[in-house]
């Protein structure tokens, strides 16, 4: 439960210890403190805590409930964090997953007893569900307070979910450009920011994600250098904004290739109306594309009058009796058509005549 005083952790690997942490349920690892200790390092009660452990650690299929920090890792290469579920507590600052690195040449030297290789982080996060309670940070890519950090490649992929935090993803400042990519993930329902990149040297690549809306307002939910295009416009992640824009372009090109003189005014009017629809948002683009394609399918070609005209010009009044000519004229008047009629109407009129 929540304790005061000494910080406790659930499971901890330190100083080149390695292995896998899988299929555990860890609950209520929390402290009412969120402090920096005398050595300048963060003190947080953490469910799974890796501090300068061996590289290649796997953390998977764990259920973490109500812990101040779900998973905290510093200076581990080849880290795999997958299929974990982290549910944060309410009432104090918390973090779902916290990844740290450091660049101190002394601490990170190969001869340093606590860490034999490097001090950066390279990690792949797959299919984790990080659920906040309206406060804290879902995924933190940060640093120890005394030195900068070097995360190296970090990716979040394969339908991971980060939701319900104050900030979904927070990237801290560093002295070098780092590689951070997030894709195929649900980054939804975070109160202040979906992503807050405070590192001017790093561009976060956050493409092909679902942001909880067909038309996300990225100016409100993203800060810093973040590439978010293309993005999914449906929760099933089957269609991106780029795909719907391309579909509209294709439909418009097809429509513009049609010739007005070839179609009836009524059917051409439907296409003209569709082409004039707005296309500012993804929702509008989808509606417009559907309307254009529908209007193209409903275009009615102007009828060919060659056989109809030929049927009329071969008949001469002088060749027929008055009575039969009068009857014939009645049929002609009842079957007057133009090129504005459909071809089937023209064909029927021709047959009647």
């Amino acid at each position: 439960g929540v304790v005061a005083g000494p910080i406790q952790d659930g499971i901890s690997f330190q100083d080149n210890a390695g292995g896998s942490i899988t299929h555990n349920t860890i609950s209520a690892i929390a402290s009412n403190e969120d402090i920096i200790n005398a050595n300048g390092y963060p003190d947080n009660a953490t469910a799974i805590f890796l501090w300068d452990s061996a590289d290649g650690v796997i953390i998977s299929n764990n259920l973490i409930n109500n812990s101040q920090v779900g998973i905290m890792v510093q200076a581990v290469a080849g880290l795999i964090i997958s299929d974990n579920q982290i549910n944060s507590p309410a009432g104090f600052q918390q973090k779902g997953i916290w990844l740290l690195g450091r660049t101190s040449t002394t601490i990170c030297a190969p001869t340093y007893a606590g860490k034999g290789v490097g001090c950066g982080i390279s990690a792949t996060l797959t299919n984790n569900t990080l659920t906040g309670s309206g406060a804290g940070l879902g995924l933190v890519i940060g640093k120890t307070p005394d030195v900068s950090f070097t995360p190296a490649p970090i990716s979040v992929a394969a339908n991971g979910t980060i939701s319900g935090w104050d900030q979904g993803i927070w990237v801290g400042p560093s002295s070098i450009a780092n590689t951070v990519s997030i894709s195929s993930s649900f980054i939804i329902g975070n109160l202040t920011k979906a992503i807050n990149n405070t590192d001017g040297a790093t561009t976060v690549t956050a493409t092909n994600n679902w942001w909880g809306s067909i038309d996300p307002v990225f100016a409100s939910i993203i800060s810093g250098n973040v590439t978010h295009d293309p993005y999914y416009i449906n929760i099933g992640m089957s269609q991106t904004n780029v795909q719907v824009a391309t579909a509209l372009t294709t439909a418009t090109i097809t429509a513009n290739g049609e010739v007005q003189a070839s179609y009836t005014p009524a059917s051409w009017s439907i296409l003209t109306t569709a082409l004039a629809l707005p296309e500012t948002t993804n929702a509008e683009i989808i509606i417009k594309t559907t309307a254009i394609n529908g209007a193209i399918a409903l275009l009615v070609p102007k009828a060919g009058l060659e056989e109809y005209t030929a049927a009329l010009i071969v008949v001469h009044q002088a060749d027929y009796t008055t009575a039969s000519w009068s009857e014939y004229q009645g049929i002609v008047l009842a079957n007057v058509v133009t090129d504005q009629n459909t071809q089937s109407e023209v064909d029927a009129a021709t047959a009647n005549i």
Side-chain angles (χ1 to χ4, degrees), residues 5-80:
I7 303 297
Q8 298 181 355
D9 301 311
I11 299 173
S12 179
F13 288 1
Q14 299 189 38
D15 299 333
N16 274 327
S20 299
I21 302 172
T22 66
H23 297 91
N24 300 284
T25 298
I26 307 171
S27 300
I29 307 296
S31 168
N32 60 3
E33 300 181 32
D34 189 3
I35 62 174
I36 302 302
N37 66 25
N39 296 319
Y41 301 112
D43 273 342
N44 292 268
T46 302
I48 297 176
F49 180 58
L50 273 59
W51 193 262
D52 298 346
S53 72
D55 292 334
V57 173
I58 296 173
I59 303 172
S60 69
N61 293 285
N62 298 287
L63 174 61
I64 299 173
N65 291 317
N66 297 324
S67 294
Q68 188 169 11
V69 178
I71 299 171
M72 180 191 291
V73 179
Q74 174 178 276
V76 177
L79 175 69
I80 296 175

Side-chain angles (χ1 to χ4, degrees), residues 223-242:
S223 292
N225 297 327
V226 179
T227 301
H228 56 74
D229 222 19
Y231 55 89
Y232 288 111
I233 62 168
N234 62 331
I235 194 170
M237 296 198 295
S238 61
Q239 196 171 39
T240 68
N241 63 310
V242 172

